[in-house]
Amino acid sequence: MEPPRAPPTPELEFGGPWGAGALTLLLPLGLVGVVSACVGEGQGWGTPTLALPTPPALALVLAWVGAHGLGSCCGPPRSPGDTPGALRDLGWLLALGGALGGALALGVPLPPLCPLLPPLAAAASSVAFGLGLLILARRRLRGGGTGPLVYEFFVGGEPGSPLEPPESLHWERVGLCAWELSRNCPPSPGGFLGVFGALAWGPFGGPLPALLLLQRPQNRLGGAGGAACGGLYALGLWIFHGATTQRSLFSRDPRDPRVAGLPTVPTATGQVLLAGGWWGLVRRPDDLGELLMALGWTLPCGLSPPLLLLLAGAALRELRALVGERRQRRRFGGAWGGLCQRVPHRLLPLVY
């Protein structure tokens, strides 16, 4: 009788512990540098500087995280894609905008926004680092997590656990972290990358193109260029919404009339892989949609610092996707090969 085989060692993303450790330093430093370059004085791009978190910036970020975490503790945890969570986040943003608008209407003097952005980005990165350490300590104390410490801090959970990419704006990740720290729940995925993406990368990296165009009107596109970028964004939104809707319907009930007629690939485990609709165009149409939206939002600024954030986020997503495809190939074997033959391109139709 053959001895039982040990399970295969999970393949680590981002180059393992060394890559995770380097990214833990490079991502915050790069974000703060890009933000400082975008708010630089003069008509050109400013010089990137290393802004440090100031006490008022730290207090503001901690107050925001505490208020959002308190709201999350009032109900059960939710996934970032849930509609109630998205509506709740919209309510938070509307409340914040209403408070700022009311302060302006009442004549309350507000400090200039641009000089506050670099220290706020640094404060948000520092708070994300602290939350990542707290979540790691909580998981380890409760017996969860056995992988490399630095890698687990960066990614969260076990190797291969799902996480949100840093370019996604999910404020619920912050609320979920507070919920994890205060409720008696089992260990779950969540690490520095997810918290940093929700607390620093999305809020400070996402609005930079709009900030640049407001600061430097001479860089604005004409009517044709603006229409092209708007069309690119709309195309990406259409693809992303269609792909995620098809995936959600198919995962809940493959016999749903809206997806029942789409081509599929059977697997040895009894599962079926979706190979039609948007998922018959490329193997990652959701990523394609997000990439097109990001390009439509960033290209109006031309060769600018926000483009560096877009390229960095796209590179991180691609690294994770390549590892994920190798896992799928090991999991489904020949069925995954059949899917790749039916849908040969990963991200860009007829190109890649």
Side-chain angles (χ1 to χ4, degrees):
M1 182 176 180
E2 294 184 2
R5 296 181 179 180
T9 303
E11 185 176 0
L12 303 183
E13 301 168 333
F14 309 116
W18 287 102
L23 289 173
T24 300
L25 296 176
L26 293 177
L27 287 178
L29 293 177
L31 175 67
V32 175
V34 168
V35 171
S36 66
C38 289
V39 301
E41 299 294 336
Q43 299 300 319
W45 309 117
T47 303
T49 58
L50 179 59
L52 298 177
T54 61
L58 279 172
L60 184 60
V61 173
L62 288 172
W64 172 256
V65 174
H68 196 88
L70 182 62
S72 297
C73 288
C74 296
R78 57 196 187 279
S79 66
D82 289 343
T83 300
L87 293 177
R88 184 178 301 184
D89 283 348
L90 179 60
W92 278 102
L93 295 176
L94 290 177
L96 178 62
L100 292 176
L104 291 173
L106 294 174
V108 177
L110 297 178
L113 175 62
C114 289
L116 296 178
L117 290 180
L120 277 174
S125 302
S126 301
V127 172
F129 188 88
L131 283 174
L133 287 177
L134 288 175
I135 294 173
L136 175 65
R138 176 188 177 279
R139 186 185 298 113
R140 288 288 174 131
L141 290 175
R142 297 192 177 189
T146 56
L149 196 64
V150 175
Y151 181 83
E152 185 183 346
F153 163 78
F154 183 73
V155 174
E158 301 297 332
S161 298
L163 74 155
E164 293 301 320
E167 62 271 24
S168 295
L169 176 55
H170 292 309
W171 283 101
E172 288 135 326
R173 297 289 299 189
V174 183
L176 281 172
C177 290
W179 196 93
E180 282 185 351
L181 292 172
S182 59
R183 293 291 185 93
N184 186 16
C185 58
S188 59
F192 169 76
L193 182 59
V195 184
F196 173 75
L199 193 58
W201 187 281
F204 293 97
L208 284 182
L211 176 65
L212 283 174
L213 294 180
L214 288 174
Q215 278 193 304
R216 300 172 174 86
Q218 71 276 8
N219 293 332
R220 293 177 185 172
L221 294 176
C229 289
L232 190 64
Y233 187 93
L235 176 62
L237 181 61
W238 180 40
I239 295 175
F240 177 78
H241 181 267
T244 53
T245 300
Q246 286 180 347
R247 180 177 58 189
S248 177
L249 292 173
F250 187 81
S251 62
R252 286 201 301 262
D253 183 10
R255 296 169 296 181
D256 189 297
R258 289 167 288 185
V259 293
L262 297 178
T264 58
V265 176
T267 69
T269 61
Q271 295 177 280
V272 289
L273 304 175
L274 184 60
W278 288 114
W279 299 89
L281 178 67
V282 290
R283 296 200 294 271
R284 291 156 44 203
D286 50 349
D287 287 354
L288 172 61
E290 287 196 339
L291 177 61
L292 292 177
M293 286 191 289
L295 284 173
W297 179 246
T298 308
L299 285 180
C301 295
L303 298 177
S304 60
L307 188 61
L308 298 178
L309 294 185
L310 171 62
L311 295 176
L316 289 178
R317 183 184 290 269
E318 189 60 27
L319 288 174
R320 291 190 60 239
L322 292 177
V323 175
E325 286 214 351
R326 288 195 289 268
R327 289 174 181 156
Q328 297 288 73
R329 187 177 296 277
R330 289 195 298 267
R331 178 183 178 185
F332 296 113
W336 184 258
L339 175 68
C340 293
Q341 288 182 354
R342 183 184 289 268
V343 188
H345 297 98
R346 291 192 179 100
L347 184 62
L348 299 176
L350 305 177
V351 177
Y352 174 69

